[in-house]
Amino acid sequence: MISHKRLAFAITIMCLLVELALSKHPRITMHYKFDIKLQNVTRLCQTKSIVTVNGQFPGPTITAREGDRLLVKVVNNVQYNVSIHWHGVRQLRSGWADGPAYITQCPIQTGQSYVYNFTVTGQRGTLFWHAHISWLRVTLYGPIVILPKRGVPYPFPQPYKEVPIIFGEWWKADTERIINQALQTGGAPNISDAFTINGLPGPLYNCSAKDTFILKVKPGKTYMLRLINAALNDELFFSIANHNLTVVDADAVYVKPFKTNTVLITPGQTTNVLLKTKNHHPNATFLMAARPYSTGPAAFDNSTTSGILEYHLPSNSTKKTNKLPLLKPSLPIFNDTTFATNFNKKLRSLANSNFPAKVPQRVDRRFFFTVGLGLIPCTNPNGTCQGPNNTMLAAAVNNVSFVMPNTALLQAHFFNQSKGVYTTDFPANPPFKFNYTGNPPSNIMVSSGTKVVVLPFNTSVELVMQDTSIIGAESHPLHLHGFNFFVLAQGFGNFNPNKDPAKFNLVDPAERNTVGVPSGGWVAIRFLADNPGVWFMHCHLEVHTSWGLKMVWIVMDGNRRNQKLPPPPSDLPKC
Ligand SMILES: *[C@@H]1O[C@H](CO)[C@@H](O)[C@H](O)[C@H]1NC(C)=O
Ligand SMILES: *[C@@H]1O[C@H](CO)[C@@H](O)[C@H](O)[C@H]1NC(C)=O
Ligand SMILES: *[C@@H]1O[C@H](CO)[C@@H](O)[C@H](O)[C@H]1NC(C)=O
Ligand SMILES: *[C@@H]1O[C@H](CO)[C@@H](O)[C@H](O)[C@H]1NC(C)=O
Ligand SMILES: *[C@@H]1O[C@H](CO)[C@@H](O)[C@H](O)[C@H]1NC(C)=O
Ligand SMILES: *[C@@H]1O[C@H](CO)[C@@H](O)[C@H](O)[C@H]1NC(C)=O
Ligand SMILES: *[C@@H]1O[C@H](CO)[C@@H](O)[C@H](O)[C@H]1NC(C)=O
Ligand SMILES: *[C@@H]1O[C@H](CO)[C@@H](O)[C@H](O)[C@H]1NC(C)=O
Ligand SMILES: *[C@@H]1O[C@H](CO)[C@@H](O)[C@H](O)[C@H]1NC(C)=O
Ligand SMILES: *[C@@H]1O[C@H](CO)[C@@H](O)[C@H](O)[C@H]1NC(C)=O
Ligand SMILES: *[C@@H]1O[C@H](CO)[C@@H](O)[C@H](O)[C@H]1NC(C)=O
Ligand SMILES: *[C@@H]1O[C@H](CO)[C@@H](O)[C@H](O)[C@H]1NC(C)=O
Ligand SMILES: [Cu+2]
């Protein structure tokens, strides 16, 4: 006979052991259904039919804990082909669920559905989901909130509340017509009419005051804002009048906290910031505002989206909030590259024992990629194009403007059917050297092709991305699928392979999935190719992606069973 006490003790131990065993495995499966459908939405006094998930704009928030499995059934009820990308989710051995159309899957066609099946492993913070075909992500996007495992605290005090703030970009006209027209004529697509905060442009636009995001707060509390830039073509500065923000996380990786009054966030980046409210009720309300950081040669939407930070009044107050003065933040000038540089330099990994920075210390392969604009010959059937000298605007990596295949690269790779789909000769270096950030060469035509780099499993890659001044220097937010990378260093002018590596931070560099290649400069990154599959890398300014600023890495299977990409799910869409 064992005593009750002993039995209770034994049960407690058993529970602990089960808990321990389960904590190593995905414990929970979260089911979501995404009905892609049209919805009429009114903004800036104009009603527009937009593509949405479940009729919501912005789309629903996905909330998961680190370790959870997600099953998202996407049903396409619209006239467009659709695919959804889980931006920043590592997709370890689940490349079939990554989402970029014609890269990891054929699109989900009208009337079809597909279940995205993946786990969230080793990440916590904020990411987002968005359409990954043509320009449909203009309205098809929503937050992904990844909480730490149950019982695991943040490495900073638990915030009182957490609020997603997702920036978007709004066109009055039909964006599919805009990009299709641009790609046919070779000219630049029309710029947007507004930016939005949680789908709302805010009071600084005509006919928009009622479409304003209002964040109501209590005094003396800490709020965590989960910032996401889902805009198509613009990096954004964000600031709240009279309040500082503490950056604690970038791209779902904790960073060493630092205080700033303005955040710079590129399309494709996410960042968590703490907002400490004032201890006493202020006699004011506060505008939060975002507007572009823009360095390129093209026109851009120079407007400002805003929302309002409003303190709950004490219940006995006789005042009205809307009678209080509204204070405005001052944002950096649109081309403030000095601010951008200093801000990015402050981002450092925590790099402690709980959250180590696993920076690859050895390098197996080095790559040097130029990124920038260029021209291609006119293909408009009527023979007339709007680029300089009757050409079409294009963009390229190492002078190759990527051409989308007609079938998904991952399928072609997995079933050994690359012939006629892609070639493996993507150049590791630019085809010719020039002063990348000086006067451009006389011939600025680029070549076109569907070329990839093949990497053996576990290759440690060092990549320097160099902006060019062809047509105009410009900051390009480069996004890598399937991996996080470490941002070792950035600089201006041409990268110097003899001198600049001495500046590489191999101790606590920021670890992220999207980095701005500085305008007229370079950035050096490293990543370990430990995830077999086909991984897209592209500028997250959608206009540049459309022009071909994209390329693909194919990472081969490793020898062990758990180093191989499993076969595709049976419902994988066909082309
Ligand atoms: C949107 O509005 C148009 C014009 O009023 C209407 O024909 C259409 O049915 C509406 N669509 C939806 C999804 O409500
Ligand atoms: C999701 O993927 C996992 C791992 O490959 C597999 O075991 C599971 O059956 C899949 N679930 C569904 C609903 O397809
Ligand atoms: C783009 O803007 C031009 C000039 O305002 C206009 O004529 C054209 O119709 C617009 N294109 C689309 C697709 O809306
Ligand atoms: C050719 O087509 C473009 C639009 O695609 C149009 O702007 C241009 O006027 C056309 N040129 C001729 C000569 O028809
Ligand atoms: C924000 O931080 C700066 C620098 O620490 C400080 O000078 C300023 O007073 C702070 N502003 C607010 C509103 O707390
Ligand atoms: C706010 O208003 C109250 C009463 O109107 C006044 O006593 C107080 O000084 C004001 N506080 C600030 C910070 O302006
Ligand atoms: C952008 O708009 C601001 C006013 O909001 C103006 O001062 C500035 O000159 C504009 N910049 C450009 C590049 O259009
Ligand atoms: C409202 O209540 C607070 C705390 O109970 C008190 O300090 C304050 O003086 C009151 N204000 C008014 C206007 O009655
Ligand atoms: C930023 O733009 C302003 C106004 O157009 C210009 O005067 C200034 O030289 C630009 N600064 C940089 C760093 O390009
Ligand atoms: C257009 O052609 C002219 C004459 O061939 C040449 O001088 C000029 O540099 C070209 N412009 C561009 C942008 O290529
Ligand atoms: C490249 O061009 C820039 C801008 O014209 C110039 O300052 C720099 O000296 C040039 N670099 C080299 C190596 O020629
Ligand atoms: C949708 O995708 C299929 C498969 O790639 C393609 O054949 C079809 O033309 C596409 N339809 C549209 C409307 O783009
Ligand atoms: Cu770009």
Side-chain angles (χ1 to χ4, degrees):
M1 278 286 286
I2 46 171
S3 73
H4 281 297
K5 249 191 186 166
R6 279 208 185 156
L7 188 63
F9 182 69
I11 288 173
T12 310
I13 292 290
M14 266 168 60
C15 288
L16 278 175
L17 286 176
V18 169
E19 182 90 9
L20 211 80
L22 284 178
S23 69
K24 293 225 169 88
H25 296 282
R27 270 192 281 187
I28 293 176
T29 301
M30 313 282 292
H31 293 259
Y32 285 87
K33 174 137 186 249
F34 275 22
D35 248 315
I36 311 292
K37 57 184 201 180
L38 297 178
Q39 178 73 34
N40 287 332
V41 163
T42 304
R43 293 289 183 276
L44 312 173
C45 270
Q46 185 207 44
T47 302
K48 200 184 159 187
S49 170
I50 62 168
V51 186
T52 67
V53 165
N54 304 342
Q56 288 170 249
F57 174 70
T61 298
I62 284 190
T63 306
R65 274 186 198 281
E66 186 188 338
D68 286 354
R69 177 171 295 281
L70 284 161
L71 287 176
V72 189
K73 179 171 185 176
V74 178
V75 184
N76 182 358
N77 303 300
V78 298
Q79 71 270 37
Y80 306 105
N81 284 335
V82 168
S83 78
I84 305 284
H85 170 52
W86 318 93
H87 182 109
V89 173
R90 289 256 356 241
Q91 300 292 3
L92 288 162
R93 296 173 60 235
S94 58
W96 303 108
D98 192 38
Y102 301 107
I103 306 297
T104 61
Q105 67 165 95
C106 296
I108 307 168
Q109 298 183 38
T110 308
Q112 295 183 348
S113 68
Y114 179 47
V115 178
Y116 290 88
N117 176 358
F118 57 94
T119 58
V120 179
T121 309
Q123 301 181 282
R124 62 305 275 178
T126 306
L127 296 170
F128 68 122
W129 57 265
H130 63 75
H132 213 307
I133 184 164
S134 192
W135 277 23
L136 290 187
R137 78 175 177 86
V138 69
T139 56
L140 272 181
Y141 62 78
I144 301 180
V145 168
I146 310 171
L147 303 171
K149 287 183 178 167
R150 199 169 289 283
V152 177
Y154 293 123
F156 44 81
Q158 176 74 29
Y160 173 69
K161 272 200 176 143
E162 303 184 358
V163 187
I165 302 235
I166 190 159
F167 302 107
E169 193 162 0
W170 187 263
W171 275 259
K172 290 181 176 170
D174 174 357
T175 39
E176 285 307 286
R177 278 195 54 217
I178 285 175
I179 184 56
N180 290 339
Q181 188 179 68
L183 292 179
Q184 200 191 350
T185 62
N190 290 353
I191 60 172
S192 54
D193 298 294
F195 297 98
T196 55
I197 295 179
N198 293 343
L200 304 167
L204 302 181
Y205 296 98
N206 285 337
C207 201
S208 180
K210 68 177 193 329
D211 295 320
T212 300
F213 171 68
I214 296 174
L215 176 60
K216 288 211 167 171
V217 295
K218 291 183 178 166
K221 305 276 186 204
T222 299
Y223 291 75
M224 183 157 87
L225 310 183
R226 296 175 172 272
L227 308 180
I228 301 164
N229 188 348
L232 248 56
N233 294 327
D234 296 85
E235 303 187 24
L236 294 170
F237 292 123
F238 171 71
S239 183
I240 305 180
N242 249 281
H243 289 74
N244 284 321
L245 302 167
T246 303
V247 179
V248 292
D249 188 308
D251 294 1
V253 182
Y254 296 127
V255 297
K256 290 194 173 82
F258 68 91
K259 204 159 81 168
T260 182
N261 58 19
T262 301
V263 169
L264 171 64
I265 185 165
T266 80
Q269 289 182 337
T270 50
T271 192
N272 288 354
V273 298
L274 301 180
L275 166 70
K276 171 106 174 52
T277 56
K278 298 184 185 304
N279 285 330
H280 303 287
H281 282 97
N283 293 341
T285 54
F286 305 92
L287 204 70
M288 57 176 86
R291 70 156 189 242
Y293 164 53
S294 178
T295 50
F300 67 101
D301 176 353
N302 180 31
S303 67
T304 305
T305 182
S306 58
I308 292 172
L309 178 74
E310 193 178 288
Y311 282 70
H312 283 287
L313 288 172
S315 49
N316 59 357
S317 168
T318 51
K319 286 198 171 175
K320 282 236 166 64
T321 345
N322 59 8
K323 292 281 173 340
L324 295 175
L326 178 62
L327 304 184
K328 294 182 179 171
S330 65
L331 287 159
I333 182 171
F334 73 94
N335 58 0
D336 195 342
T337 292
T338 305
F339 178 91
T341 308
N342 291 336
F343 181 83
N344 287 329
K345 276 190 185 158
K346 287 184 208 153
L347 289 161
R348 297 292 174 101
S349 286
L350 268 188
N352 60 22
S353 53
N354 284 337
F355 303 100
K358 295 179 182 158
V359 190
Q361 300 290 320
R362 82 187 148 87
V363 174
D364 299 318
R365 292 196 59 188
R366 288 196 161 78
F367 296 87
F368 182 79
F369 289 176
T370 54
V371 298
L373 305 183
L375 302 173
I376 53 171
C378 182
T379 57
N380 193 345
N382 78 5
T384 307
C385 281
Q386 286 171 6
N389 290 348
N390 202 42
T391 61
M392 302 177 91
L393 294 170
V397 182
N398 273 353
N399 227 46
V400 183
S401 183
F402 189 88
V403 175
M404 277 302 201
N406 295 318
T407 189
L409 297 183
L410 183 56
Q411 273 163 297
H413 160 66
F414 189 85
F415 295 109
N416 279 316
Q417 292 165 344
S418 61
K419 199 155 183 259
V421 181
Y422 64 86
T423 56
T424 57
D425 55 348
F426 188 88
N429 291 287
F432 51 91
K433 284 190 181 162
F434 60 98
N435 185 345
Y436 305 112
T437 52
N439 288 330
S442 54
N443 180 359
I444 58 170
M445 301 299 280
V446 296
S447 67
S448 298
T450 310
K451 296 171 189 284
V452 308
V453 173
V454 177
L455 298 170
F457 184 79
N458 252 349
T459 304
S460 173
V461 173
E462 184 177 289
L463 168 64
V464 174
M465 291 184 282
Q466 169 77 58
D467 183 34
T468 75
S469 52
I470 292 173
I471 302 184
E474 181 161 11
S475 166
H476 298 278
L478 261 288
H479 170 54
L480 176 61
H481 291 227
F483 304 92
N484 281 342
F485 49 73
F486 291 93
V487 185
L488 308 184
Q490 55 175 21
F492 291 100
N494 300 325
F495 175 72
N496 182 334
N498 300 319
K499 281 193 188 148
D500 289 325
K503 298 178 213 151
F504 287 180
N505 175 2
L506 301 177
V507 178
D508 66 349
E511 176 186 347
R512 54 191 327 173
N513 64 59
T514 305
V515 69
V517 178
S519 180
W522 54 269
V523 65
I525 65 172
R526 275 188 196 173
F527 66 97
L528 183 65
D530 59 356
N531 191 12
V534 170
W535 304 112
F536 210 11
M537 191 175 85
H538 59 92
C539 182
H540 222 278
L541 304 183
E542 210 55 45
V543 52
H544 295 170
T545 313
S546 302
W547 283 342
L549 212 168
K550 47 196 175 189
M551 57 79 66
V552 165
W553 307 90
I554 293 188
V555 178
M556 302 301 287
D557 281 347
N559 292 326
R560 298 210 197 109
R561 205 171 51 84
N562 65 355
Q563 298 175 339
K564 295 183 198 299
L565 179 70
S570 56
D571 61 342
L572 185 74
K574 295 181 175 63
C575 281

